Amino acid sequence: RLGNPNPTIIERIVRTLLSSTGSLISTNKIRNTLVSQNVSISHNTLENYLTTLTDSLLFYSVPRFDVKGRALLQRLEKYYPVDLGLRHIGHILENIVYLELRRRYSQVYVGNLDKYEVDFVVVTDVGHYAYYQVSETTLALETLERELRPLEAIKDQFPKYLLTMDTIQPTANY
């Protein structure tokens, strides 16, 4: 599938994915990043490299899920490294939560609700949903409001969780 792979380009793709962990990214964004580094790569070759990185279990690709329409959305995904040892900075807590949700549930998505993003939507084996927001801390009121906003906008009665490292207000219930 890869023909004659270029290790330098693969390494740059891996670095781009690692630096974008927890962010929605498209193949166009990755390609533009590479082009800005004077790397020429076709869209098909990039797609093949990304597929190979996920097939070889170096990264998980997490598609977006329309919370209202209960359907998968095309374009924009999040990539999470399978091994946290590959990363040293950034959204490591979100990555840990993703890996645990992936261990517990077979269907894990990034939620999309109009103009809001829900970090994770899981679909249980019986077709129920659960929603997860992840933030290292929500001690600042604006952060708490930003993280709760997408969960409050979901009008169904399935569980909604905000996971933080905060030890203050451990029994808070919004």
Side-chain angles (χ1 to χ4, degrees):
R1 174 189 305 183
L2 290 180
N4 189 13
N6 183 327
T8 303
I9 293 177
I10 294 172
E11 181 180 346
R12 288 187 182 197
I13 292 169
V14 168
R15 288 182 187 278
T16 301
L17 293 177
L18 290 173
S19 69
S20 300
T21 297
S23 299
L24 289 170
I25 58 174
S26 66
T27 53
N28 283 338
K29 180 178 178 182
I30 296 170
R31 188 168 181 278
N32 290 342
T33 300
L34 293 172
V35 168
S36 74
Q37 299 170 356
N38 295 321
V39 175
S40 177
I41 187 169
S42 74
H43 187 74
N44 287 340
T45 300
L46 178 56
E47 287 284 342
N48 288 338
Y49 283 173
L50 290 171
T51 299
T52 299
L53 289 170
T54 56
D55 286 352
S56 63
L57 299 178
L58 290 172
F59 288 89
Y60 289 117
S61 170
V62 187
R64 287 190 318 149
F65 183 83
D66 179 15
V67 173
K68 271 188 183 175
R70 303 282 194 234
L72 288 177
L73 297 172
Q74 298 299 315
R75 302 182 185 233
L76 296 179
E77 298 174 309
K78 287 186 178 184
Y79 289 87
Y80 291 96
V82 172
D83 183 347
L84 291 175
L86 296 173
R87 298 204 60 241
H88 298 292
I89 57 169
H91 294 266
I92 203 156
L93 180 60
E94 188 174 322
N95 205 142
I96 290 168
V97 170
Y98 170 73
L99 292 174
E100 180 60 22
L101 291 174
R102 173 88 184 206
R103 187 183 70 75
R104 293 181 185 202
Y105 303 99
S106 60
Q107 297 180 65
V108 181
Y109 304 101
V110 174
N112 183 67
L113 181 67
D114 299 324
K115 60 183 176 185
Y116 301 121
E117 177 187 305
V118 179
D119 287 331
F120 302 110
V121 177
V122 299
V123 183
T124 68
D125 292 337
V126 294
H128 292 170
Y129 298 85
Y131 308 96
Y132 294 85
Q133 284 292 92
V134 181
S135 180
E136 184 176 354
T137 182
T138 57
L139 295 178
L141 182 58
E142 61 273 6
T143 304
L144 178 62
E145 290 172 350
R146 182 189 70 232
E147 296 297 331
L148 289 175
R149 199 172 297 122
L151 299 177
E152 291 168 342
I154 300 170
K155 300 304 180 194
D156 64 33
Q157 296 304 310
F158 291 113
K160 299 162 186 80
Y161 302 99
L162 173 57
L163 305 174
T164 75
M165 296 296 292
D166 298 336
T167 55
I168 251 174
Q169 300 177 331
T171 59
N173 185 352
Y174 301 96

